[in-house]
Amino acid sequence: MDSRRPPLAPVFRSLPEYVRHWAETTPDRRAFTCVDHPAPHSRGVHRTLTWRRLDLRMRAMAARLAAEAEPGERVAVLCPQGTDYITAFLGALAAGLVAVPLYPPGLPGQGDRLSAVLADARPEVVVTAGHALAEVRELCENRDVKVVAGDQVPDATAGDWQPGTLDAEAVAYLQYTSGSTRTPAGVEITHANGVANARQALAAYGADVHPVTCVGWLPLYHDMGLVLSVAAPVVRGLLSVLMDPVAFLHEPVRWLRLLAAHPRALSAAPNFAYDYCAATVTEAQKADLRLDGVFALINGSEPVRAGTADRFHAAFAAQGLLPETHCPSYGLAEATVFVSAARPWQPLRRFALDRDALATGKALPARPDDPRAVLLTGCGAPAGQRVRIADPVSREALAEGEVGEIWVQGPNVGRGYRNQEPQTQRVFGAVLADVAAGPGKWLRTGDLGTVLDGQLIVTGRLKDLIVVDGRNHYPQDVEATAQDAHPAVRRDRLAAFGVPGGSGERVIVVAEHARAVPLADIDVPALVRTVRAAVSARHGLRLSDVVLVPPGTVPRTSSGKVSRALTRDRYLAGAYATEVAG
């Protein structure tokens, strides 16, 4: 039977121990359901693993991998999204190996990154699926690595194999950061880190006491997808329902149908996905949707915009979706993923702040209707960890309402970067100037923010700050103004950044035009004038250059965020010289 509420689990040290526990106590309950969409208009083909079956496949993979590699060696997971990915990842952990969650070759724009990560991780084994075996072997032909097709490992391989005792402080997997153009950095996440962050996320969203179903399309190589769709359900014994990210992008209503089909659904997506659904799901597609059973929708991984939440919930209010389900959250790979979260069934916390004061590091209130106000969204309170706002130079802890770097401390903070000791010491070994304000080592996130009324507010990224005439400007703030200025600017597909100039930093905006608007139909000089005027009026900034590029041209990270650093590098290299500029 598949009863709604799983029994409470004792605290174990690793995910494989939880799998074994649920296989013994609730063997016939559903653990994972993966939904494939083999045709454009397919409603989905469901493939399900019970906890008993998951345990068997995990042990079969562990036995196979243990025959190929020694404990502590790396296993790269290059499986497509689905049950093979989950069993390969958990099998590597059960064997005492270090999993490296990645993706098969062919992901658009990510080939160079995949090669760079493999060169850095130096895996002993690569696991993929049978239908991707040829292209993975081609990718690995000049590497000293064994390639295993996980779906071709028979059940009988498990035999009597049982996982040994895993050291909670040993590295379980490497989470490679998706950020910029620098050499990929693999964050060492221990077994204890993974379990701690899963429990923190469950508590933050109420899934530790409420029976929920985790529903997701986020890629499993991404930190939020891995924790919310694999680690948290394994720790709590919850059903996790997965679909491929490409299936969502092709037809976003598929995600909403899965939310509607599973009572008390808990899901997560980046900000752009909510705007995408609101803009593209048709009235005909909404007709058979009932979303009143949705428990919580997490909004994370990029700036959370209150306007996006408003548009999304207005678009689906007739389907019963309640605005209190929206949970802005903040996290990063170095902290496994989750740091802070707004709790479900609480009103969205909105903050109108004075832009001039914010530029000087002070979060002072402004009228929401003031055109020069910055509208920001609260990302809730820390989830089982400690957060401080610190001056990035003096390392002084700052008071509430002052803007500084977000520092984090907790059992979920990773061990460091693989083979990057100086960087590890700088990022993971920060110490406050006044130790009494928070003893011990802290994680420097590189993100800027403040705390108001108990809410963490993320204001931007330290390395992305645009400094003109001594004043700080947040690029996402400039981008929001630019995309609101003209309907032909594609939302969340533009980058604002500074470049050196003769008399100081020049400010550039590179923006994609909307897919629905052909370039030939756009009055580009008028668009440029409109964007320049809006940015000038709202920010007091003169844009040196506005470049309009085709859809898909602005580079993104592996997690889907716009890469300002790479866009800036390409601009300086002249890559956009043939595009329309003004």
Side-chain angles (χ1 to χ4, degrees):
M1 294 291 292
D2 188 18
S3 58
R4 286 296 306 149
R5 183 185 294 273
L8 294 176
V11 177
F12 294 112
R13 294 177 298 181
S14 69
L15 297 182
E17 290 176 88
Y18 279 100
V19 172
R20 190 65 182 152
H21 168 79
W22 298 120
E24 291 174 346
T25 57
T26 60
D28 297 321
R29 284 177 55 83
R30 291 178 294 165
F32 289 92
T33 293
C34 295
V35 184
D36 296 325
H37 296 84
H41 301 294
S42 168
R43 300 284 288 202
V45 177
H46 292 59
R47 292 178 174 84
T48 295
L49 293 176
T50 62
W51 288 104
R52 188 202 321 264
R53 180 82 182 142
L54 175 64
D55 177 62
L56 176 64
R57 291 304 302 160
M58 178 186 77
R59 289 187 296 110
M61 284 303 307
R64 178 73 173 84
L65 295 172
E68 300 287 0
E70 296 295 324
E73 292 182 326
R74 274 81 52 210
V75 174
V77 182
L78 272 66
C79 297
Q81 186 114 328
T83 54
D84 293 329
Y85 202 111
I86 296 161
T87 55
F89 174 77
L90 292 172
L93 269 56
L97 301 166
V98 178
V100 186
L102 290 168
Y103 39 86
L107 190 67
Q110 298 300 324
D112 290 344
R113 179 180 183 271
L114 179 59
S115 295
V117 170
L118 289 173
D120 184 77
R122 298 179 64 187
E124 188 72 15
V125 185
V126 169
V127 183
T128 187
H131 69 269
L133 193 57
E135 58 183 344
V136 170
R137 280 179 170 157
E138 182 180 353
L139 174 71
C140 298
E141 63 181 355
N142 295 320
R143 304 177 192 276
D144 184 17
V145 63
K146 307 174 188 75
V147 180
V148 173
D151 55 346
Q152 295 176 6
V153 175
D155 292 351
T157 306
D160 297 327
W161 194 93
Q162 294 293 340
T165 302
L166 295 171
D167 180 359
E169 300 307 318
V171 178
Y173 63 96
L174 296 178
Q175 183 66 66
Y176 275 85
T177 57
S178 60
S180 63
T181 57
R182 61 183 169 86
T183 302
V187 183
E188 295 182 328
I189 304 297
T190 67
H191 291 283
N193 294 152
V195 170
N197 204 226
R199 297 179 71 87
Q200 289 165 340
L202 291 165
Y205 301 116
D208 57 339
V209 293
H210 295 288
V212 305
T213 300
C214 296
V215 176
W217 56 265
L218 292 175
L220 296 181
Y221 59 80
H222 183 242
D223 48 13
M224 186 158 62
L226 189 62
V227 170
L228 197 70
S229 291
V230 179
V234 164
V235 166
R236 183 70 177 93
L238 301 170
L239 171 62
S240 180
V241 181
L242 287 166
M243 61 181 284
D244 193 281
V246 175
F248 165 75
L249 292 172
H250 284 172
E251 197 170 341
V253 72
R254 291 167 169 164
W255 175 42
L256 304 181
R257 286 175 182 150
L258 288 183
L259 294 175
H262 296 88
R264 303 182 73 86
L266 168 67
S267 193
N271 194 83
F272 88 86
Y274 295 101
D275 264 327
Y276 186 44
C277 287
T280 60
V281 175
T282 66
E283 291 302 318
Q285 290 172 330
K286 293 178 186 179
D288 61 349
L289 281 178
R290 290 303 309 166
L291 299 173
D292 50 335
V294 173
F295 182 72
L297 294 173
I298 301 164
N299 187 333
S301 89
E302 60 187 86
V304 178
R305 305 191 195 280
T308 294
D310 293 341
R311 285 188 292 273
F312 179 77
H313 288 277
F316 300 101
Q319 284 65 51
L321 185 66
L322 299 175
E324 292 80 13
T325 59
H326 214 84
C327 300
S329 304
Y330 166 73
L332 68 164
E334 286 81 354
T336 306
V337 63
F338 290 100
V339 171
S340 74
R343 277 38 176 183
W345 307 103
Q346 299 292 323
L348 203 68
R349 296 296 304 274
R350 305 158 190 266
F351 295 87
L353 303 178
D354 182 273
R355 177 173 282 105
D356 292 335
L358 202 60
T360 64
K362 302 290 184 183
L364 300 179
R367 294 195 323 274
D369 59 349
D370 186 335
R372 292 187 58 78
V374 178
L375 304 178
L376 297 175
T377 307
C379 288
Q385 50 204 292
R386 292 162 294 281
V387 168
R388 294 285 185 275
I389 306 299
D391 184 299
V393 177
S394 70
R395 297 181 291 110
E396 296 283 348
L398 301 177
E400 181 165 312
E402 293 186 283
V403 177
E405 187 179 12
I406 301 169
W407 288 19
V408 178
Q409 188 183 76
N412 54 300
V413 173
R415 207 167 74 169
Y417 297 115
R418 166 178 157 79
N419 292 339
Q420 294 191 32
E421 188 58 30
Q423 182 78 344
T424 293
Q425 288 298 322
R426 189 187 72 80
V427 174
F428 291 83
V431 178
L432 288 168
D434 180 4
V435 177
K441 293 183 177 180
W442 292 78
L443 166 67
R444 298 188 60 165
T445 68
D447 292 315
L448 293 169
T450 188
V451 174
L452 287 175
D453 297 335
Q455 293 276 312
L456 177 64
I457 303 169
V458 182
T459 59
R461 187 103 179 112
L462 187 59
K463 67 179 181 181
D464 287 342
L465 265 183
I466 300 170
V467 183
V468 177
D469 296 331
R471 297 186 69 233
N472 296 333
H473 299 272
Y474 293 97
Q476 70 271 20
D477 197 14
V478 175
E479 291 158 6
T481 299
Q483 71 184 13
D484 289 341
H486 198 285
V489 176
R490 190 180 181 196
R491 301 194 71 83
D492 295 318
R493 292 294 184 269
L494 68 166
F497 50 88
V499 298
S503 57
E505 196 161 47
R506 299 187 300 123
V507 183
I508 313 297
V509 168
V510 175
E512 295 180 9
H513 65 77
R515 287 190 182 276
V517 186
L519 183 60
D521 295 345
I522 301 173
D523 184 342
V524 177
L527 180 150
V528 170
R529 287 194 300 271
T530 300
V531 169
R532 276 191 165 134
V535 171
S536 177
R538 194 170 181 86
H539 306 277
L541 274 178
R542 178 187 177 277
L543 293 181
S544 177
D545 207 354
V546 177
V547 185
L548 196 65
V549 300
T553 307
V554 174
R556 288 183 286 165
T557 68
S558 63
S559 60
K561 294 180 284 188
V562 165
S563 174
R564 298 186 185 97
L566 187 51
T567 308
R568 180 180 184 274
D569 289 347
R570 290 184 179 179
Y571 176 85
L572 290 173
Y576 302 120
T578 59
E579 309 297 344
V580 181

